[in-house]
């Protein structure tokens, strides 16, 4: 193995395993094969065929187990990664779990992840439940899980597979990725990011993950899986990397590339994870935070406020959490009034819900057209989503009621009832929460 100052050797695991759970009460009403067959025409054929093939091979197992046979999932971490109280309650009430596991070699395509998620989503749809992504400790609705799978050209949004959590300390923000190990690559980390670059640096991390993952998978596109792959010590990140990672490959991004130095930070604890750390190039002088700010200015423009890209997220603070709780408590009542035709003449009922992204949900609004089932709202998008190109104003959408965080009645003068989360934003209790769009 050639080792130079220009490249960093990173280890490659021999195999990878994906695990997804479907909580349910009682036993599943159908077989995995029939559930997957029901998805014909709804997911791209490469994945549909792959899921059926792996179901018939020793590479995948689908078992129904009693809840007592599976380790308890940590509710605090599930909540931190977006679980709603309703989802946690249904998990607590479940008597059984459908456990979907698939194993495959590292590389692209990640057949184990795509096939296992497709089968789990198919089973969850049959029982009207959700999927638990064990690696990401996330709940996914069947629709969200299916949307994350590749299209007919094999394209996926990396933000559906890799999260970018962060925490704060005396030196600034510590960012990590959570999802690259799905594909065999070590997770990334950056320390000392200035507080005002929260969302911008999350996008940079996502672009860096896309660039390094592509280099990594290109390096193992061989007949035999190598023990190591050489990654460049100086990683070049562009605005195009970020656009592709967010599912906007057609976006024209005319920015200069930026450089980040890659270093291996091995774990001292055998049970802990090692990281690939991103740092300023060796020739940089001064605090690392200053360089990170310059990176954001280059990629997103110095006139973009505090270095934030035009990608909107929300992180609830105390006031926002109370607003969401108030709105959700009122959902049954507003549904009853909607179905009974008791809403004031000339008003429009809209709901606000979250689209999954790497850094928490992106919140968008939809006008309600029908609400026959308590769990399912059929409507028309009232927002253009930044992270999902299929969600555009006027486009039909189906919203899971469990994903609704707010609702409002709109009249000629604006909001006449509801809109609690918007009231928090207008009052200035924003924290990291931008206005809806």
């Amino acid at each position: 193995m050639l080792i130079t100052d220009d490249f960093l050797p990173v280890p490659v695991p021999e195999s990878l395993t994906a695990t997804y759970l479907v909580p349910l009460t009682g036993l599943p009403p159908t077989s995995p094969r029939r559930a997957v067959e029901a998805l014909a025409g709804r997911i791209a054929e490469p994945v549909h065929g792959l899921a059926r093939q792996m179901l018939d091979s020793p590479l995948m197992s689908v078992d129904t187990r009693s809840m007592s046979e599976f380790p308890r999932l940590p509710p605090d971490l599930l909540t931190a990664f977006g679980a709603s109280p309703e989802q946690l309650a249904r998990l607590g009430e479940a008597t059984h779990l459908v456990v979907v596991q698939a194993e495959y070699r590292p590389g692209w395509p990640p057949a184990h992840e795509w096939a296992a998620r497709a089968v789990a989503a198919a089973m969850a749809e049959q029982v009207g439940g959700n999927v638990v992504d064990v690696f990401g400790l996330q709940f996914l609705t069947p629709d969200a899980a299916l949307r994350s799978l590749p299209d007919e050209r094999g394209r996926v949004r990396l933000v559906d597979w890799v999260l970018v959590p962060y925490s704060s300390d005396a030196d600034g923000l510590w960012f990590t990725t959570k999802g690259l190990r799905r594909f065999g690559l070590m997770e990334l980390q950056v320390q000392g990011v200035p507080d005002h670059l929260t969302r911008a640096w999350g996008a940079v991390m996502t672009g860096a993950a896309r660039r390094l993952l592509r280099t990594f998978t290109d390096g193992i596109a061989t007949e035999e899986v190598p023990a190591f792959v050489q990654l460049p010590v100086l990683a070049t990140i562009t605005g195009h990397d970020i656009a592709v990672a967010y599912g906007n490959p057609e976006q024209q991004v005319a920015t200069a590339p930026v450089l980040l130095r890659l270093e291996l930070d091995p774990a001292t604890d055998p049970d802990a994870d090692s990281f690939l750390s991103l740092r300023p190039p060796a020739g940089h002088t001064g605090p690392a935070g200053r360089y990170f700010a310059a990176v954001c200015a280059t990629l997103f423009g110095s006139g973009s406020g505090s270095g934030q890209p035009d990608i909107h997220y929300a992180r609830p603070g105390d006031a926002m959490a109370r607003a969401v709780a108030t709105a959700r408590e009122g959902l049954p009542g507003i549904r009853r009034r909607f179905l009974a035709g008791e809403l004031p003449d000339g008003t429009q009922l809209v709901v606000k819900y979250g689209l999954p992204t790497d850094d928490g949900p992106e919140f968008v609004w939809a006008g309600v057209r029908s609400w026959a089932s308590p769990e399912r709202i059929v409507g028309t998008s009232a927002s253009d989503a930044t992270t999902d190109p299929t969600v555009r104003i006027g486009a039909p959408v189906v919203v899971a009621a469990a994903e609704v965080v707010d609702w409002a009645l709109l009249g000629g003068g604006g909001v006449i009832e509801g809109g609690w989360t918007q009231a928090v934003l207008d009052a200035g209790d924003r924290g990291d929460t931008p206005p809806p769009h």
Side-chain angles (χ1 to χ4, degrees), residues 79 121 126 138 149 160 193 204 244 246 254 322 348 350 355 412:
T79 300
Q126 292 294 316
Q138 277 192 304
L149 296 172
D160 291 331
V193 177
V204 174
V244 171
Y246 280 92
R322 290 193 297 271
Q348 168 70 54
V350 295
L355 299 172

Side-chain angles (χ1 to χ4, degrees), residues 336-380:
R336 178 188 57 76
R337 292 163 57 195
F338 174 82
L339 294 176
E342 296 175 356
L343 301 183
D345 292 340
T347 60
Q348 168 70 54
L349 176 61
V350 295
V351 293
K352 182 180 181 182
Y353 65 103
L355 299 172
T357 77
D358 71 320
D359 196 23
E362 177 194 5
F363 292 107
V364 292
W365 291 85
V368 177
R369 291 170 45 203
S370 66
W371 199 346
S373 166
E375 297 81 19
R376 186 171 178 267
I377 302 170
V378 177
T380 302

Side-chain angles (χ1 to χ4, degrees), residues 148-170:
S148 71
L149 296 172
D151 61 16
E152 65 281 354
R153 296 172 59 185
R155 298 177 302 183
V156 297
R157 300 188 321 151
L158 193 61
V159 294
D160 291 331
W161 298 88
V162 177
L163 306 175
V164 185
Y166 66 91
S167 58
S168 180
D169 58 27

